[in-house]
Amino acid sequence: MRKGQYQFVAGFLLVPVALYLVFVIWPYIQTFGYSLTDWKGQSQTFSFVGLDNYVALFQDDIFLGAIWHNILFLVFIPVITILLALFFAFMVNAGGRSRAGGVSGVAGAGFYKILYFFPQVLSLAILSVLFGAVYRSDSGGMLNGFLVSIGLVDPGAPVEWLNEPNFVLWALIAVIVWHGVGFYLVLFSAAMQSIPRDIYEAALIDGAGRAQSFFKITLPLLWDAVQTAWVYLGIVAMDMFILVSTMTAPGGEFGGGPDHASETMSTYLMRNFLIYGKSGYACAMGVVMLLLTLILSVVTLRATRRERIEF
């Protein structure tokens, strides 16, 4: 690259890099600085307390419980979403009966793609309203009404989906999976369309069934897309603020009910920052969340790394 080209590239990147440093990196640095103080949020006077906030965090049972809830989300949300998206993507691209024209998807594959993708156009705030009606804790709720109609639930004792500690996390996971499957179906479908049909047809001639075609052909050739999806879904699982704060907060204060059974790090952080006035403590939570998310991303990328298969 010639000298003039270096100057052009440097000049082109100067403003974006400066904006990134000011609006992204600097707030991270500020947050770490505030996490070492007893900052109350409203006042600019605060004292340096060192690592006291971090020590208190790991003695806080609510915060430790919130980490456990995020871990559960981290395990189940990516696994269920990716498995369903892979299955549906395989069916709409290569799950149909083999015809003279070669391997194809099931009948109506284009319609199914639109149908499955539809939840993705809705924001999580809207989904929280919709599923609030689905999970209503009376027979007027969609889910309870269905269970009552088929005789699985007593009309006088409907299930408290969002007020029962044993159900609330699974109810939230179901919403996130329903919302995300369509997007990753489209992502995996786009990747599958780049796989030559000759490979599937050769496998069919050799007597391979659908399950063998999926595990021996589709999954290995889609591994990069699966790896990317896993990282994105892991980040979603580490957040969950919008859904938890809107669906489990009938009395306000950013959700987490009942009795912190659905508490996440993000909801507990916002409660401490905006309601309890423990802003320095909340900043320490933010730093821990950042570190856990970075560790998660690195570990996931390394654990799922495998030799690239070319075709």
Side-chain angles (χ1 to χ4, degrees):
M1 187 179 287
R2 293 192 294 260
K3 181 178 180 181
Q5 291 175 317
Y6 278 116
Q7 294 175 345
F8 173 77
V9 172
F12 184 77
L13 293 178
L14 180 62
V15 173
V17 170
L19 291 174
Y20 184 80
L21 291 173
V22 171
F23 293 107
V24 178
I25 301 300
W26 178 242
Y28 284 143
I29 296 173
Q30 282 186 308
T31 299
F32 178 72
Y34 284 131
S35 73
L36 303 176
T37 69
D38 62 354
W39 182 42
K40 305 299 182 185
Q42 301 296 326
S43 173
Q44 291 301 314
T45 59
F46 45 82
S47 303
F48 179 79
V49 297
L51 298 177
D52 288 356
N53 286 328
Y54 293 94
V55 173
L57 270 183
F58 291 98
Q59 296 175 346
D60 188 334
D61 291 338
I62 297 177
F63 182 71
L64 295 177
I67 292 179
W68 173 244
H69 297 154
N70 278 111
I71 291 173
L72 291 177
F73 289 140
L74 183 61
V75 171
F76 289 102
I77 288 176
V79 169
I80 298 173
T81 303
I82 290 175
L83 288 178
L84 288 175
L86 280 171
F87 172 75
F88 291 137
F90 180 75
M91 294 303 293
V92 300
N93 284 278
R97 295 181 178 179
S98 57
R99 301 186 180 94
V103 175
S104 63
V106 297
F111 170 76
Y112 289 131
K113 288 181 183 179
I114 297 173
L115 181 66
Y116 290 133
F117 188 78
F118 175 73
Q120 190 64 35
V121 305
L122 303 176
S123 70
L124 287 176
I126 295 174
L127 284 183
S128 68
V129 175
L130 293 176
F131 277 87
V134 172
Y135 292 138
R136 269 179 54 182
S137 55
D138 55 44
S139 57
M142 180 177 174
L143 186 53
N144 273 322
F146 172 74
L147 294 176
V148 167
S149 68
I150 62 176
L152 292 181
V153 170
D154 184 354
V159 180
E160 300 274 351
W161 298 105
L162 297 177
N163 295 316
E164 172 57 51
N166 294 327
F167 294 145
V168 62
L169 292 179
W170 298 107
L172 295 170
I173 289 172
V175 177
I176 289 294
V177 170
W178 186 80
H179 180 254
V181 163
F183 174 80
Y184 293 101
L185 181 153
V186 173
L187 176 68
F188 296 149
S189 292
M192 286 182 188
Q193 288 171 4
S194 66
I195 301 175
R197 298 291 177 179
D198 295 345
I199 298 177
Y200 287 113
E201 292 169 5
L204 288 174
I205 293 172
D206 290 337
R210 289 182 180 178
Q212 290 176 310
S213 297
F214 177 79
F215 287 106
K216 299 297 184 180
I217 299 174
T218 304
L219 188 57
L221 294 178
L222 289 184
W223 194 253
D224 288 345
V226 171
Q227 186 185 54
T228 302
W230 201 289
V231 172
Y232 283 137
L233 286 167
I235 294 172
V236 170
M238 292 296 289
D239 182 11
M240 292 292 290
F241 174 75
I242 295 177
L243 207 62
V244 174
S245 63
T246 52
M247 291 189 67
T248 66
E253 295 194 2
F254 301 105
D259 194 24
H260 304 293
S262 62
E263 194 77 76
T264 62
M265 289 185 286
S266 57
T267 56
Y268 194 48
L269 182 158
M270 293 302 294
R271 188 179 297 109
N272 278 274
F273 191 91
L274 296 177
I275 296 178
Y276 299 160
K278 299 167 67 175
S279 301
Y281 190 57
C283 288
M285 294 184 200
V287 173
V288 172
M289 284 183 64
L290 172 64
L291 292 176
L292 289 177
T293 304
L294 290 176
I295 292 171
L296 158 72
S297 300
V298 172
V299 170
T300 301
L301 289 174
R302 291 187 64 87
T304 58
R305 185 174 59 186
R306 60 194 300 175
E307 186 177 350
R308 181 183 296 271
I309 299 176
E310 298 183 357
F311 50 88

